[in-house]
Amino acid sequence: MAQPRVKRSELSTPPEFAGDPIVWAAWLYYEERMTQEEVAERLGVSRASVVNFLQEARDRNIVTIAVASRHLQSVQIARELSRRYELNSCVVIPQGSDELPIYERIGRAGARLLLDILEPNDVLGVSWGRTVLSLSAELAEAKMPGVTVVQIAGSAIGTKEFSPELCTTNIAYRIGGRCVNLHAPGIVSRPDVKKLFMQETSLVEQFRLIRSCTKVLFGVANLSDASTALRSGYMTPEKIKPYVKRGAIAVMSGRFLDAEGHPVLGALDEQMIGLTLDEIAQIPERICVAGGVEKIPAIRSVLRGGYATILVTDEPTARALVDADD
């Protein structure tokens, strides 16, 4: 049987709280991290009384609540990035003290955001990259059976981090959605081979679905030897050299962009199986997850081209993006 509740004046408050049950309740809740129910049990009052005690603690300035300055700074930078690049929203993760790779930290933040913005009948297009793969692995389990998750770029035999089908499968599995992988190579040997592939009935149906995406998720790569596309063998320095000569500095879902965000076209475009930049730009919500100082020019290119409506990045990258256009 529950003990009868007592009035505030009847509470036997420990002496270190100077006989003030408000300070005691505030200490238990904010410092010892008890729930309101647990505080109520300890004090012998109702949960409603605890709510009143905590409010009075704030009113009397016993407790002051403030957002940590590092988080405020991240919010300010995020709002500035959104304004400059006409983003619908921007998430900037504060500079961390842990040793996790930056792509894992951004992937974790992107996973939380994705669950917040997915809607029951969405068709989510998914590209590839280390950050996208990390996001797919960090996604919390949810029940969204009405969501369809589709692969927007073809596959290749490469490293685990270059695995478009794994990104798509992970996300669909974790949200309980429908998974549609693109059963075709990312790059074929000749343009005529691509033409034949694209005439296949199964691919025609798949691309009809892919082009109906309501949201798309992608990362950004630069053109250094360390980029995911080169490490995986999906592309080679020889294949991208003509693009570099034409000014390409960024790769987004296998497509090339220059510093101003303009498409850079070449022979590979006639051999790639996947959504084009123009097709991606038609998708209503476009989520870019990317960060790291080595990617700043590439991310700026994507933003200048208007390919992202949502950006998830880290604070040093965000600061550099803001400062670069001052």
Side-chain angles (χ1 to χ4, degrees):
M1 180 180 295
Q3 295 182 346
R5 302 296 182 182
V6 297
K7 296 179 181 180
R8 184 190 305 187
S9 60
E10 297 173 345
L11 288 173
S12 178
T13 306
E16 59 267 32
F17 299 107
D20 191 337
I22 305 301
V23 179
W24 187 20
W27 176 268
L28 294 174
Y29 184 72
Y30 290 106
E31 293 296 327
E32 296 194 12
R33 306 292 178 137
M34 288 187 176
T35 66
Q36 291 180 358
E37 289 288 350
E38 290 169 337
V39 175
E41 286 298 319
R42 177 70 66 87
L43 270 63
V45 299
S46 67
R47 183 176 176 276
S49 295
V50 171
V51 172
N52 291 334
F53 286 0
L54 296 176
Q55 181 59 53
E56 187 171 337
R58 292 192 288 272
D59 292 343
R60 290 166 48 187
N61 290 324
I62 294 170
V63 172
T64 58
I65 300 174
V67 180
S69 60
R70 70 188 184 100
H71 290 286
L72 278 178
Q73 291 170 2
S74 297
V75 170
Q76 290 167 350
I77 296 169
R79 290 176 68 86
E80 178 62 17
L81 274 177
S82 296
R83 184 188 68 79
R84 292 193 182 203
Y85 295 105
E86 298 182 353
L87 300 170
N88 292 340
S89 63
C90 179
V91 175
V92 175
I93 58 173
Q95 192 163 7
S97 57
D98 55 41
E99 296 182 358
L100 283 177
I102 188 62
Y103 64 85
E104 288 190 16
R105 297 183 61 232
I106 293 173
R108 183 177 297 172
R112 291 194 295 268
L113 175 129
L114 186 61
L115 285 185
D116 287 341
I117 66 173
L118 277 177
E119 297 176 312
N121 296 312
D122 271 333
V123 178
L124 174 68
V126 178
S127 185
W128 46 266
R130 286 190 306 177
T131 311
V132 175
L133 183 60
S134 178
L135 182 155
S136 75
E138 292 287 345
L139 204 62
E141 291 189 7
K143 294 183 179 178
M144 299 182 180
V147 174
T148 299
V149 186
V150 299
Q151 181 181 333
I152 68 166
S155 304
I157 298 175
T159 60
K160 178 184 175 183
E161 65 186 15
F162 178 82
S163 184
E165 61 276 17
L166 181 56
C167 296
T168 306
T169 303
N170 279 351
I171 293 173
Y173 174 77
R174 289 176 182 273
I175 66 172
R178 175 189 177 197
C179 179
V180 180
N181 287 125
L182 182 54
H183 300 298
I187 299 177
V188 295
S189 57
R190 302 189 310 273
D192 60 315
V193 175
K194 174 184 175 179
K195 185 176 180 179
L196 287 172
F197 259 105
M198 297 302 291
Q199 291 173 348
E200 284 292 328
T201 302
S202 60
L203 277 187
V204 170
E205 291 301 315
Q206 280 189 296
F207 268 90
R208 184 175 290 117
L209 176 61
I210 291 169
R211 293 185 180 111
S212 73
C213 285
T214 54
K215 292 180 173 68
V216 65
L217 172 68
F218 58 88
V220 180
N222 58 29
L223 297 182
S224 73
D225 292 341
S227 73
T228 305
L230 289 171
R231 280 196 305 271
S232 68
Y234 179 75
M235 296 176 182
T236 65
E238 291 73 24
K239 288 180 179 179
I240 69 170
K241 191 175 296 183
Y243 289 90
V244 174
K245 287 183 177 179
R246 295 188 185 101
I249 66 163
V251 180
M252 171 185 145
S253 195
R255 307 291 176 167
F256 295 86
L257 296 165
D258 67 15
E260 296 302 317
H262 301 136
V264 179
L265 302 178
L268 279 180
D269 291 272
E270 299 304 317
Q271 299 168 235
M272 291 183 191
I273 296 179
L275 287 186
T276 66
L277 289 172
D278 286 343
E279 289 171 329
I280 291 173
Q282 297 304 311
I283 297 172
E285 201 77 88
R286 304 180 295 277
I287 309 152
C288 175
V289 288
V293 293
E294 74 282 356
K295 289 188 177 183
I296 290 167
I299 297 170
R300 187 186 304 118
S301 166
V302 169
L303 295 179
R304 285 177 173 172
Y307 292 103
T309 60
I310 296 175
L311 174 66
V312 183
T313 191
D314 62 291
E315 187 174 329
T317 300
R319 285 186 181 279
L321 289 169
V322 168
D323 293 343
D325 284 340
D326 278 342

